[in-house]
């Protein structure tokens, strides 16, 4: 259950102001059809995070416990630093509308998520918790928590959220998690 709750919370915070959330705003403003946009975001996120989670789980078979602890701890601390850098989205990244609302959203969202903070976090969380299903379900829910409101309220919500504060809180959580992993906190509990 920890894997699910931590994954959901971290990704929901990390996604605030992220380029994929900005993409959700852009797609919602352009197409004004929330249902296919939300469904495409859900399926693109599931596909992307399942692959990322599988990679994280696979990494645990390659690295010994001590090496994995250092890789994960440093990865979480790097994520904390990355959270402090604001994202931007380039409008030209959108795929031609020949794919329709669903296809365009799925393709652009899947591609935008490659190498994104939340995808890297999914790799690290899957390796940390060694619970592919709960991490992927949690990170996907976190993405939906951040992106569904973005689709429905678009830029009205963007101006009201304290994005800088949200990024700082997420950075602190990632840093604390990284330090805890480096210190071995939770090892006796199987975390």
């Amino acid at each position: 259950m920890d894997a699910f709750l931590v994954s959901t919370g971290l990704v929901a915070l990390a996604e605030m102001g992220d380029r994929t959330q900005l993409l959700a705003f852009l797609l919602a403003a352009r197409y004004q059809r929330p249902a296919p946009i939300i469904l495409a975001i859900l399926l693109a996120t599931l596909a992307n995070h399942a692959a990322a989670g599988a990679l994280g789980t696979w990494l645990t078979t390659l690295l010994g416990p001590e090496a994995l602890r250092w890789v994960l701890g440093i990865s979480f601390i790097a994520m904390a630093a990355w959270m402090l850098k604001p994202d931007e989205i380039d409008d030209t990244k959108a795929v031609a509308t020949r794919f329709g609302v669903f296809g365009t959203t799925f393709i652009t969202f899947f591609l935008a998520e490659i190498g994104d903070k939340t995808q890297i976090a999914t790799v690290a969380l899957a390796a940390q918790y060694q619970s592919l299903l709960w991490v992927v379900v949690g990170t996907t829910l976190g993405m939906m928590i951040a992106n569904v409101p973005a689709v429905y309220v678009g830029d009205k919500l963007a101006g009201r959220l304290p994005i800088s504060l949200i990024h700082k809180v997420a950075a602190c959580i990632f840093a604390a998690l990284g330090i805890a992993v480096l210190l071995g906190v939770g090892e006796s509990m199987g975390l």
Side-chain angles (χ1 to χ4, degrees):
M1 189 54 106
D2 286 342
F4 171 73
L5 295 174
V6 171
S7 297
T8 302
L10 276 177
V11 169
L13 282 173
E15 183 65 8
M16 295 296 178
D18 189 72
R19 68 180 171 191
T20 47
Q21 187 184 48
L22 297 173
L23 179 60
F25 284 131
L26 175 73
L27 291 165
R30 177 177 290 163
Y31 297 113
Q32 299 178 358
R33 295 194 43 216
I37 293 170
I38 290 169
L39 181 60
I41 289 171
L42 172 64
L43 295 177
T45 300
L46 277 172
N48 193 291
H49 287 203
L55 175 62
T57 302
W58 178 67
L59 286 176
T60 64
T61 65
L62 294 178
L63 302 173
E66 187 68 16
L68 184 62
R69 181 170 65 98
W70 280 97
V71 167
L72 290 175
I74 292 168
S75 295
F76 284 125
I77 291 170
M79 288 296 302
W82 194 4
M83 282 304 308
L84 299 175
K85 181 187 174 296
D87 278 332
E88 295 177 9
I89 188 75
D90 184 4
D91 193 356
T92 61
K93 282 189 170 184
V95 175
T97 56
R98 69 177 191 197
F99 295 108
V101 175
F102 177 85
T104 298
T105 301
F106 182 89
I107 293 166
T108 56
F109 209 86
F110 183 87
L111 293 175
E113 188 63 13
I114 293 174
D116 195 49
K117 294 176 193 111
T118 50
Q119 186 191 43
I120 304 301
T122 302
V123 172
L125 288 164
Q128 171 70 19
Y129 288 104
Q130 298 180 27
S131 178
L132 177 63
L133 175 67
W134 289 115
V135 168
V136 172
V137 170
T139 59
T140 300
L141 179 60
M143 291 287 285
M144 299 313 289
I145 287 170
N147 287 307
V148 169
V151 170
Y152 278 109
V153 295
D155 54 350
K156 293 175 192 170
L157 180 65
R160 293 192 176 137
L161 289 176
I163 298 298
S164 178
L165 176 63
I166 291 169
H167 279 213
K168 288 175 184 168
V169 168
C172 288
I173 293 169
F174 274 117
L177 188 54
I179 292 167
V181 167
L182 288 174
L183 295 175
V185 173
E187 283 182 3
S188 62
M189 297 182 290
L191 296 176

